[in-house]
């Protein structure tokens, strides 16, 4: 005789959000924003100490925020994350694919494993979506939010842009594939914001909170794609209209750092 599934530890009427890459930067800011708005959270990242500290900060009781150390590139780790969310809350309402990496120093072709960028930024969101989607479809509601990048509209770094062009195409196509099902898909595409990933970029940047607020807005009012901060919207338009302008900006502001650090990865 089949045994019934165990009851969740903390059943909740709050929407349950699973958020990857939550230990720092945009992920941490998003977890903080959504917790303040009353969402129940399952936060995932590789850095266990930082992740558990954040969970305790957001919810000392442990009832509303669950920390699950996760390697999003590992299938068993992804499945354990989903199982932990179900065991704790009984369901997942929203998946936010935020975990991301880049080739931080030098040129990508000198990096010993440049394809890890595709594994984290593109493969993992696709696989996590595949694991969560049947539940959302069966319920006829839910939301997939993918964190893209302006680098998915204006190419800069080969591997990073490849991953972000890919996640944009995946998000926009998935949204159309799910039309009429009650499951929404949104892409939030940040420009440069302050984070560990952009620490070496010498540009004026807002904090990651601007992205967190954009995520909160699309959860309340689903939108196919949004670019933040707003100042990047005309820049994306200009990139399509005058590509040579983008060449000049990238060469002056971004590629200079690769030239200075290219020897470090050889």
């Amino acid at each position: 005789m089949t045994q019934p599934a165990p009851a969740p530890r903390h059943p909740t009427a709050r929407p349950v959000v699973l958020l990857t890459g939550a230990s720092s930067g945009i992920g941490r800011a998003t977890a903080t924003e959504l917790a303040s708005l009353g969402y129940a959270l399952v936060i995932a990242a590789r850095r266990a100490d930082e992740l558990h500290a954040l969970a305790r900060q957001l919810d000392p009781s442990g009832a509303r925020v669950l920390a699950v150390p996760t390697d999003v590139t590992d299938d068993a780790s992804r499945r354990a994350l989903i199982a932990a969310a179900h065991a704790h809350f009984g369901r997942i309402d929203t998946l936010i694919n935020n975990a991301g990496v880049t080739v931080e120093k030098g040129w990508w072709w000198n990096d010993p494993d440049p394809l890890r960028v595709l594994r984290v930024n593109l493969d993992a969101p696709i696989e996590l979506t595949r694991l969560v989607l049947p539940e959302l479809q069966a319920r006829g509601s839910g939301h997939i939010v993918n964190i893209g990048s302006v680098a998915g509209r204006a190419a800069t770094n080969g591997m990073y842009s490849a991953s972000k062009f890919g996640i944009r195409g995946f998000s926009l196509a998935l949204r159309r594939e799910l039309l009429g099902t009650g499951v929404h898909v949104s892409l939030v595409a940040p420009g440069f914001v302050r984070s560990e990933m952009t620490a070496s970029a010498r540009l004026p940047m807002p904090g990651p909170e601007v992205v967190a607020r954009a995520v909160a807005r699309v959860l309340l009012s689903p939108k196919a794609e949004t670019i933040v901060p707003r100042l990047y919207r005309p820049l994306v338009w200009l990139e399509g209209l005058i590509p040579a302008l983008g060449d000049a900006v990238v060469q002056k502001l971004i590629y200079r750092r690769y030239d200075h650090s290219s020897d470090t990865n050889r």
Side-chain angles (χ1 to χ4, degrees):
M1 182 176 179
T2 303
Q3 295 296 319
R9 290 172 54 197
H10 296 286
T12 177
R14 305 169 187 270
V16 178
V17 175
L18 192 163
L19 168 67
T20 67
S23 63
S24 65
I26 290 170
R28 185 182 184 92
T30 301
T32 302
E33 177 74 13
L34 297 184
S36 73
L37 295 173
Y39 289 89
L41 296 176
V42 181
I43 55 175
R46 288 182 303 168
R47 292 180 289 191
D49 290 345
E50 289 90 337
L51 194 69
H52 286 297
L54 176 61
R56 288 192 298 270
Q57 175 189 324
L58 297 178
D59 176 29
S61 75
R64 191 162 58 89
V65 178
L66 173 67
V68 185
T70 303
D71 177 358
V72 296
T73 67
D74 179 77
D75 182 64
S77 190
R78 290 190 295 257
R79 292 178 183 275
L81 170 63
I82 303 299
H86 285 149
H88 194 82
F89 290 119
R91 69 181 194 279
I92 297 167
D93 298 300
T94 295
L95 169 64
I96 302 177
N97 286 307
N98 167 73
V101 297
T102 188
V103 175
E104 295 183 3
K105 293 183 179 180
W107 301 99
W108 65 265
W109 52 82
N110 292 324
D111 190 271
D113 184 20
L115 293 181
R116 77 186 186 281
V117 177
L118 299 183
R119 292 194 295 272
V120 174
N121 297 5
L122 184 57
D123 290 1
I126 291 171
E127 290 297 337
L128 281 167
T129 298
R130 195 160 65 95
L131 291 174
V132 170
L133 198 52
E135 171 185 354
L136 305 186
Q137 288 179 297
R139 206 161 50 231
S141 66
H143 207 146
I144 307 291
V145 179
N146 293 318
I147 305 301
S149 173
V150 168
R153 301 288 294 274
T156 54
N157 176 297
M159 286 297 101
Y160 188 71
S161 286
S163 71
K164 295 304 184 179
F165 269 77
I167 201 66
R168 180 173 187 262
F170 172 68
S171 299
L172 297 181
L174 181 64
R175 174 185 166 275
R176 287 179 170 165
E177 290 171 326
L178 294 174
L179 286 173
T181 67
V183 181
H184 301 286
V185 181
S186 298
L187 177 73
V188 177
F192 281 97
V193 297
R194 289 195 308 274
S195 70
E196 292 180 6
M197 192 181 295
T198 61
S200 61
R202 298 181 179 180
L203 296 169
M205 291 178 281
E209 295 76 15
V210 67
V211 185
R213 291 191 293 270
V215 171
R217 286 194 298 271
V218 299
L219 290 184
L220 293 174
S221 181
K223 187 176 182 180
E225 183 176 12
T226 185
I227 296 172
V228 290
R230 298 177 67 90
L231 67 89
Y232 281 91
R233 298 174 190 180
L235 295 180
V236 166
W237 179 78
L238 283 172
E239 162 71 10
L241 189 66
I242 315 173
L245 179 60
D247 292 348
V249 172
V250 168
Q251 190 169 29
K252 183 175 182 180
L253 297 181
I254 299 175
Y255 284 176
R256 184 181 300 170
R257 76 182 179 96
Y258 297 143
D259 289 331
H260 292 329
S261 61
S262 58
D263 291 338
T264 61
N265 283 340
R266 293 185 182 181

Short mmCIF file of all heavy atoms in Angstrom, two decimals, residues 132-141 181 183:
data_model
loop_
_atom_site.label_atom_id
_atom_site.label_comp_id
_atom_site.label_asym_id
_atom_site.label_seq_id
_atom_site.Cartn_x
_atom_site.Cartn_y
_atom_site.Cartn_z
N VAL A 132 10.28 22.26 -11.97
CA VAL A 132 9.20 22.97 -11.28
C VAL A 132 7.93 23.06 -12.12
O VAL A 132 6.82 23.09 -11.59
CB VAL A 132 9.68 24.38 -10.86
CG1 VAL A 132 8.54 25.25 -10.37
CG2 VAL A 132 10.77 24.27 -9.79
N LEU A 133 8.10 23.10 -13.43
CA LEU A 133 6.99 23.41 -14.32
C LEU A 133 5.79 22.46 -14.22
O LEU A 133 4.64 22.94 -14.24
CB LEU A 133 7.50 23.47 -15.77
CG LEU A 133 6.63 24.17 -16.79
CD1 LEU A 133 6.23 25.57 -16.33
CD2 LEU A 133 7.36 24.25 -18.13
N PRO A 134 5.98 21.15 -14.11
CA PRO A 134 4.79 20.28 -14.03
C PRO A 134 3.86 20.64 -12.87
O PRO A 134 2.63 20.60 -13.03
CB PRO A 134 5.40 18.88 -13.85
CG PRO A 134 6.74 18.98 -14.50
CD PRO A 134 7.22 20.37 -14.19
N GLU A 135 4.43 20.99 -11.75
CA GLU A 135 3.61 21.39 -10.59
C GLU A 135 2.81 22.66 -10.90
O GLU A 135 1.62 22.75 -10.58
CB GLU A 135 4.54 21.62 -9.39
CG GLU A 135 3.86 22.24 -8.18
CD GLU A 135 4.85 22.56 -7.07
OE1 GLU A 135 6.05 22.21 -7.19
OE2 GLU A 135 4.43 23.18 -6.08
N LEU A 136 3.45 23.65 -11.53
CA LEU A 136 2.76 24.90 -11.84
C LEU A 136 1.66 24.67 -12.88
O LEU A 136 0.56 25.22 -12.76
CB LEU A 136 3.77 25.94 -12.34
CG LEU A 136 4.97 26.25 -11.45
CD1 LEU A 136 5.78 27.40 -12.04
CD2 LEU A 136 4.56 26.55 -10.02
N GLN A 137 1.96 23.86 -13.88
CA GLN A 137 0.96 23.58 -14.92
C GLN A 137 -0.24 22.83 -14.34
O GLN A 137 -1.38 23.12 -14.68
CB GLN A 137 1.59 22.75 -16.04
CG GLN A 137 2.55 23.54 -16.92
CD GLN A 137 3.16 22.67 -18.00
OE1 GLN A 137 3.88 21.71 -17.70
NE2 GLN A 137 2.88 22.99 -19.24
N ALA A 138 0.03 21.88 -13.45
CA ALA A 138 -1.06 21.12 -12.85
C ALA A 138 -1.97 22.01 -12.01
O ALA A 138 -3.19 21.81 -11.97
CB ALA A 138 -0.49 19.99 -11.99
N ARG A 139 -1.38 23.01 -11.37
CA ARG A 139 -2.15 23.93 -10.54
C ARG A 139 -2.78 25.05 -11.35
O ARG A 139 -3.69 25.74 -10.89
CB ARG A 139 -1.23 24.50 -9.46
CG ARG A 139 -1.95 24.94 -8.21
CD ARG A 139 -1.02 25.06 -7.02
NE ARG A 139 0.16 25.85 -7.30
CZ ARG A 139 1.40 25.43 -7.04
NH1 ARG A 139 1.60 24.25 -6.50
NH2 ARG A 139 2.42 26.20 -7.31
N GLY A 140 -2.27 25.28 -12.56
CA GLY A 140 -2.80 26.35 -13.42
C GLY A 140 -2.43 27.73 -12.95
O GLY A 140 -3.13 28.71 -13.23
N SER A 141 -1.29 27.83 -12.24
CA SER A 141 -0.83 29.14 -11.78
C SER A 141 0.65 29.04 -11.43
O SER A 141 1.18 27.94 -11.21
CB SER A 141 -1.61 29.61 -10.55
OG SER A 141 -1.35 28.76 -9.44
N THR A 181 -2.03 28.97 -19.93
CA THR A 181 -1.94 27.93 -18.90
C THR A 181 -2.07 28.49 -17.49
O THR A 181 -2.22 27.72 -16.53
CB THR A 181 -0.58 27.20 -18.98
OG1 THR A 181 0.48 28.11 -18.62
CG2 THR A 181 -0.35 26.64 -20.38
N VAL A 183 0.45 30.05 -16.13
CA VAL A 183 1.84 30.16 -15.67
C VAL A 183 2.51 31.30 -16.42
O VAL A 183 2.55 31.30 -17.65
CB VAL A 183 2.61 28.84 -15.88
CG1 VAL A 183 4.05 28.98 -15.37
CG2 VAL A 183 1.90 27.69 -15.18
#
